[in-house]
Amino acid sequence: MESSPETEKSPELSQEQKIRIEANRKRALEIREQKEKTAKLAKVMMSTQSKKLVDSGAGFFIDEEELIEEKKKEEIIVEESPLPTQDQHLKCIKCNKSFPFSYLSKNFDLNVCDTCKEINSDEYDLITKTDAKEQFLLKDCDFDFREPTLKFITKKNPHKNRYGEMKLYLKCQIVERAITVHESLEKLDEKKELKLVNLHKTRQRNYEKKLQNLRKEARQGSKKLADFHKHEYGEEHYDDNEDKYFKICKTCSHKIEYEEL
């Protein structure tokens, strides 16, 4: 009978080899996880950079694609309202003629026809909220909460495109609101003058305070300099014209004059 060949046994791994293999396996897993994280991060950054941010006008930015999608959801088919009938026409406060609607009636609830608006364009200028608050000493509550609330239109800021839309009010309505708040334009002028006086006083106080601080620092600096430096005078000299004696400091050239009795 032929004897079967002995099965060759693989040599048993040593403890050191087992530890090295386990360490290499863990290292390989860590490298793979790190690569996956890096790939995910790169994908997110590329997606973020490709998005275009749009100013919402409310103090924050939103993704343009999200804005478009949101507008699509909010899109509602609106039928044009029919023209008002004759008995629904408005009466112009300028020419007393009837008209169906106008720019001022639609946006500012002011019954003035477009013809009178064009003729008297200076009377119906627009003013920004910032300028209105500064010129007529109004607060936010005077625009938004005092009845009737003032109407406005929005427009992109021509000077600062990155900012939100600015609010434009009808200046004649702002003047009326200022009269309501301050009782009269004369009292408004008095308050503006008082504000300027108080502003001048505040600036004067701040100026005097800064001047006092500078003088204090100068005195402290002079005292420190005097404490640091001690005069060392040279030989005595006589001035024939002045009939005086004098000495000069060897370090700072300070001169003292005196008379001998």
Side-chain angles (χ1 to χ4, degrees), residues 7-15 17-18 21:
T7 305
E8 295 183 359
K9 295 182 178 180
S10 57
E12 187 177 352
L13 298 174
S14 64
Q15 186 65 24
Q17 289 175 329
K18 290 179 180 180
I21 290 173

Tab-separated table of all heavy atoms in Angstrom, residues 7-15 17-18 21:
chain	number	residue	atom	x	y	z
A	7	THR	N	0.211	15.622	5.654
A	7	THR	CA	-0.315	16.999	5.460
A	7	THR	C	0.625	17.987	6.135
A	7	THR	O	0.937	17.860	7.319
A	7	THR	CB	-1.707	17.125	6.100
A	7	THR	OG1	-2.549	16.115	5.567
A	7	THR	CG2	-2.301	18.484	5.809
A	8	GLU	N	1.033	18.999	5.297
A	8	GLU	CA	1.958	19.995	5.832
A	8	GLU	C	1.207	20.994	6.701
A	8	GLU	O	0.212	21.583	6.279
A	8	GLU	CB	2.667	20.731	4.703
A	8	GLU	CG	3.558	19.822	3.885
A	8	GLU	CD	4.285	20.624	2.830
A	8	GLU	OE1	4.048	21.853	2.757
A	8	GLU	OE2	5.081	20.038	2.091
A	9	LYS	N	1.650	21.171	7.891
A	9	LYS	CA	1.017	22.123	8.808
A	9	LYS	C	1.710	23.483	8.708
A	9	LYS	O	2.923	23.565	8.693
A	9	LYS	CB	1.099	21.612	10.228
A	9	LYS	CG	0.305	20.324	10.444
A	9	LYS	CD	0.394	19.905	11.893
A	9	LYS	CE	-0.428	18.643	12.136
A	9	LYS	NZ	-0.345	18.215	13.547
A	10	SER	N	0.839	24.583	8.630
A	10	SER	CA	1.405	25.946	8.595
A	10	SER	C	1.952	26.285	9.955
A	10	SER	O	1.378	25.924	10.985
A	10	SER	CB	0.318	26.960	8.231
A	10	SER	OG	-0.750	26.881	9.136
A	11	PRO	N	3.075	26.964	9.955
A	11	PRO	CA	3.683	27.292	11.247
A	11	PRO	C	2.791	28.234	12.055
A	11	PRO	O	2.162	29.134	11.503
A	11	PRO	CB	4.988	27.968	10.853
A	11	PRO	CG	4.749	28.486	9.481
A	11	PRO	CD	3.831	27.486	8.827
A	12	GLU	N	2.727	28.069	13.321
A	12	GLU	CA	1.891	28.891	14.197
A	12	GLU	C	2.536	30.264	14.392
A	12	GLU	O	3.751	30.368	14.561
A	12	GLU	CB	1.742	28.189	15.543
A	12	GLU	CG	0.742	28.895	16.451
A	12	GLU	CD	0.547	28.137	17.743
A	12	GLU	OE1	1.074	27.008	17.860
A	12	GLU	OE2	-0.132	28.696	18.630
A	13	LEU	N	1.681	31.325	14.310
A	13	LEU	CA	2.183	32.692	14.454
A	13	LEU	C	2.567	32.955	15.899
A	13	LEU	O	1.896	32.506	16.839
A	13	LEU	CB	1.131	33.721	14.023
A	13	LEU	CG	0.699	33.642	12.543
A	13	LEU	CD1	-0.440	34.611	12.287
A	13	LEU	CD2	1.878	33.968	11.633
A	14	SER	N	3.603	33.760	16.036
A	14	SER	CA	4.023	34.135	17.378
A	14	SER	C	3.120	35.242	17.919
A	14	SER	O	2.382	35.906	17.169
A	14	SER	CB	5.474	34.613	17.362
A	14	SER	OG	5.585	35.794	16.590
A	15	GLN	N	3.168	35.513	19.197
A	15	GLN	CA	2.340	36.548	19.831
A	15	GLN	C	2.678	37.932	19.275
A	15	GLN	O	1.800	38.769	19.056
A	15	GLN	CB	2.560	36.514	21.349
A	15	GLN	CG	1.639	37.458	22.130
A	15	GLN	CD	0.188	37.041	22.018
A	15	GLN	OE1	-0.132	35.876	21.757
A	15	GLN	NE2	-0.709	37.983	22.189
A	17	GLN	N	3.815	38.614	16.280
A	17	GLN	CA	3.271	38.731	14.927
A	17	GLN	C	1.768	38.998	14.969
A	17	GLN	O	1.233	39.782	14.178
A	17	GLN	CB	3.571	37.453	14.137
A	17	GLN	CG	5.040	37.287	13.769
A	17	GLN	CD	5.317	35.950	13.103
A	17	GLN	OE1	4.638	34.960	13.409
A	17	GLN	NE2	6.301	35.928	12.222
A	18	LYS	N	1.044	38.338	15.886
A	18	LYS	CA	-0.396	38.562	16.009
A	18	LYS	C	-0.691	40.016	16.395
A	18	LYS	O	-1.614	40.644	15.879
A	18	LYS	CB	-0.976	37.610	17.057
A	18	LYS	CG	-0.995	36.157	16.616
A	18	LYS	CD	-1.571	35.274	17.735
A	18	LYS	CE	-1.610	33.800	17.333
A	18	LYS	NZ	-2.163	32.946	18.410
A	21	ILE	N	-0.102	42.273	13.347
A	21	ILE	CA	-1.184	42.134	12.346
A	21	ILE	C	-2.428	42.891	12.812
A	21	ILE	O	-3.082	43.602	12.027
A	21	ILE	CB	-1.501	40.640	12.121
A	21	ILE	CG1	-0.334	39.967	11.391
A	21	ILE	CG2	-2.786	40.481	11.317
A	21	ILE	CD1	-0.474	38.461	11.284
